Amino acid sequence: MPISRLAMMAASNQGAVFTVATGGTITTDGKYKIHTFTGSGTFTVTTAGTGASDFLCVAGGGGGGSEGYYGGGGGAGGMRTSLNTLTAQDYVIVIGAGGSGTSYVAGGDSSITPQTSGSPLESSGGGCGGNYSGTGTQDDGLTGGSGGGAGGLDYLSLGGAGNVGGYTPSEGNDGTDRYGSGGGGHGGLGTASTGGGGGFIPGNGGAGTQSSITGTATFYAAGGGGGGNTTTSTGGSGIGGNGGRITGGTAPTTGAVNTGSGGGGGGDNGDVGANGGSGVVIIRYLYQ
């Protein structure tokens, strides 16, 4: 007597164990279940399935520079991906906040603990954009997951370096003249400010990187644009914050929430830098 197709499928699945877990916002994509954490929490695995699971960990983006004139764009938060086998336990999820554009502080770190062999999967927050105080001193763009861009005017600051640690880092660019330069993105450097003789142009934010862990290709971790006078800059990949400008009173914009993108740099001392976007953690596994 021939074996039915359903019987054959049942026999082939007898050895399969699928993950059962709670925590975060749960969605599905075909045979995969996705847990998205936009705030800190706990990912609880009650049944660990066979096979590996995908992890995405993005830290908070840095704020744009703001003190004085022409702040640099904020750097993107670090972005790490990993393929690991889950075990039945609690995983502590920490989501990094976006860095403040008024306090010259990097974005917050994001992490998943434990991960492999008890070690966390951790991404570093993005560096804040550089500042120029207007009194002949400057603050360089801060180091971070990606570095903050340089501040501008007559005393140029330097762009911050990107950290090294399991993902591709990018530096914020140094200025070549008067205006703010772009913050680094996970996918590439921010651009330097350019021009002379009144034709100065602020730098744009570095590109982010796409991930399809949710089932939809989405950009994360882009840099913010630098501050300018008559011209605005753009943040990377449509998610980094745009830089502000003095003419027309255009304020900088924040990095997109839960993308880990940098905020835009301020145009002058009445136009503070914008905040970076908060981070995100996403976990994906087979559930059927």
Side-chain angles (χ1 to χ4, degrees), residues 117-196:
S117 303
S119 300
L121 176 65
E122 185 172 15
S123 294
S124 299
C128 181
N131 301 312
Y132 169 69
S133 69
T135 59
T137 61
Q138 69 280 327
D139 297 310
D140 293 337
L142 289 178
T143 296
S146 288
L153 205 63
D154 298 319
Y155 294 82
L156 293 171
S157 66
L158 300 176
N163 288 336
V164 177
Y167 55 90
T168 304
S170 292
E171 296 180 358
N173 232 310
D174 297 345
T176 58
D177 220 308
R178 295 171 62 90
Y179 292 165
S181 293
H186 184 266
L189 292 170
T191 60
S193 62
T194 59

Side-chain angles (χ1 to χ4, degrees), residues 29 32-36 53-57 81-82 210-218 220 281-284:
D29 175 35
Y32 293 91
K33 189 166 285 188
I34 300 109
H35 295 245
T36 300
S53 301
D54 293 303
F55 293 75
L56 172 68
C57 182
T81 59
S82 181
Q210 279 189 324
S211 170
S212 297
I213 191 170
T214 63
T216 301
T218 303
Y220 300 93
V281 165
I282 303 174
I283 303 168
R284 168 186 171 111

Side-chain angles (χ1 to χ4, degrees), residues 23-24 36-44 55 57 90-95 110-114 280-283:
T36 300
F37 288 84
T38 56
S40 299
T42 303
F43 176 65
T44 300
F55 293 75
C57 182
D90 288 341
Y91 293 80
V92 177
I93 308 296
V94 175
I95 303 299
S110 293
S111 61
I112 306 169
T113 309
V280 68
V281 165
I282 303 174
I283 303 168

Side-chain angles (χ1 to χ4, degrees), residues 177-277:
D177 220 308
R178 295 171 62 90
Y179 292 165
S181 293
H186 184 266
L189 292 170
T191 60
S193 62
T194 59
F200 302 104
I201 299 173
N204 297 323
T209 297
Q210 279 189 324
S211 170
S212 297
I213 191 170
T214 63
T216 301
T218 303
F219 276 105
Y220 300 93
N229 188 343
T230 60
T231 306
T232 56
S233 63
T234 58
S237 302
I239 55 175
N242 298 330
R245 69 178 180 185
I246 296 175
T247 303
T250 303
T253 62
T254 60
V257 65
N258 298 128
T259 68
S261 297
D268 67 7
N269 56 3
D271 183 13
V272 298
N275 294 345

